[in-house]
Amino acid sequence: MCYYNLIRKFEGRRVFLKTLIIYSSKTGITKKCAALLAANIGADSCDLFEISENIPEISDYECVVVGSYVRMGVIDKKISAYLQKHKDELFETKFGLFICSCLADKVDEAITKNFSEEFLNRAAIIDWFGGELPKEKLKAMDKIIVNSIIKIAKTDPTFTVYEKIIPESITNFSNVLKEN
C-alpha cells in the first residue's frame, strides 16, 4: 500500500511526493492507521480525506493510498465504489491499498475478495495494518458479533484475532513505495 516516504531528487535535495490518502473508518482504527501513514509521509506532502468528504482530483497527486476497514470479509462499500469509479485514474499513478482487520487468518481472503486481479497486479503495494476491537465504540449488534468472534477464536486454533495496529507494516508500506 502507499505509505509515503516516496522521495526523489530535485536540484540536489530530497522532495516528498504529493500523496493523497483516502480512507473509511467505522470505529476509528482505519483513521488512526491513515493518520500514522500521513505522519510518516510528512504533513507538507500528504492530504488525508475520509471517503465521505469532498475528495480532490487524483491527477493533482503523484501517489494515492486507499484504505478501508474489513467487516464480515468486506471492505466499505463507498471505498469499493470509489475504486471502481476511479480505476483508470488510479492505474495512471502510483497507488497502494491497505486494509484494517482483526482477523489475521482472513487477510489474504479479504484482499482477494475485495480487490480485482487488475488492482492486485497494478498496485505498488497492498498490505494489512492490523486492527483493534474498541468495544466501547461498537453498537449493540456489533458487540454481539465481536464477542462471538472472540469466543470462536479461543476454541479454534485456526481462527486468530489480532488486536493491534502493526507499525512495521506501515513502515514497510512506505519503504516499498520509496523503491518503486
Side-chain angles (χ1 to χ4, degrees):
M1 307 180 152
C2 179
Y3 205 174
Y4 180 65
N5 285 357
L6 297 173
I7 299 172
R8 59 186 171 144
K9 297 279 183 178
F10 181 72
E11 296 179 7
R13 60 189 178 122
R14 293 168 50 170
V15 177
F16 290 106
L17 297 182
K18 185 79 173 159
T19 301
L20 171 64
I21 300 175
I22 305 161
Y23 69 91
S24 180
S25 190
K26 188 169 181 74
T27 62
I29 304 310
T30 309
K31 179 179 182 176
K32 186 176 181 180
C33 287
L36 288 169
L37 183 59
N40 188 296
I41 292 168
D44 293 341
S45 59
C46 186
D47 293 328
L48 188 63
F49 287 88
E50 206 279 327
I51 189 68
S52 62
E53 296 176 327
N54 189 15
I55 311 261
E57 293 293 320
I58 289 173
S59 60
D60 294 340
Y61 295 87
E62 297 168 285
C63 181
V64 178
V65 177
V66 181
S68 179
Y69 63 88
V70 176
R71 184 171 188 259
M72 299 178 75
V74 180
I75 64 171
D76 179 71
K77 63 184 175 183
K78 289 178 187 174
I79 290 288
S80 186
Y82 182 88
L83 290 172
Q84 290 312 307
K85 181 178 179 182
H86 297 283
K87 176 172 74 169
D88 293 337
E89 295 166 88
L90 286 167
F91 291 172
E92 291 177 11
T93 190
K94 182 177 287 192
F95 76 96
L97 306 166
F98 75 87
I99 61 170
C100 292
S101 172
C102 287
L103 299 179
D105 299 332
K106 304 292 183 186
V107 169
D108 289 340
E109 183 180 324
I111 288 171
T112 57
K113 178 180 181 178
N114 289 285
F115 304 117
S116 70
E117 194 70 31
E118 258 185 316
F119 277 97
L120 296 175
N121 291 330
R122 291 181 179 231
I125 184 169
I126 302 173
D127 208 347
W128 168 60
F129 290 174
E132 295 176 359
L133 294 172
K135 293 179 188 171
E136 68 281 356
K137 294 183 180 181
L138 300 176
K139 295 179 182 174
M141 186 52 116
D142 290 332
K143 284 181 183 179
I144 292 169
I145 292 169
V146 165
N147 287 332
S148 296
I149 290 170
I150 291 170
K151 269 186 183 175
I152 291 168
K154 287 180 181 176
T155 60
D156 184 348
T158 64
F159 199 83
T160 306
V161 175
Y162 192 88
E163 293 191 68
K164 292 181 184 176
I165 291 174
I166 309 168
E168 298 82 14
S169 291
I170 296 170
T171 300
N172 180 61
F173 196 92
S174 173
N175 290 338
V176 168
L177 288 177
K178 279 190 230 180
E179 296 168 2
N180 288 327

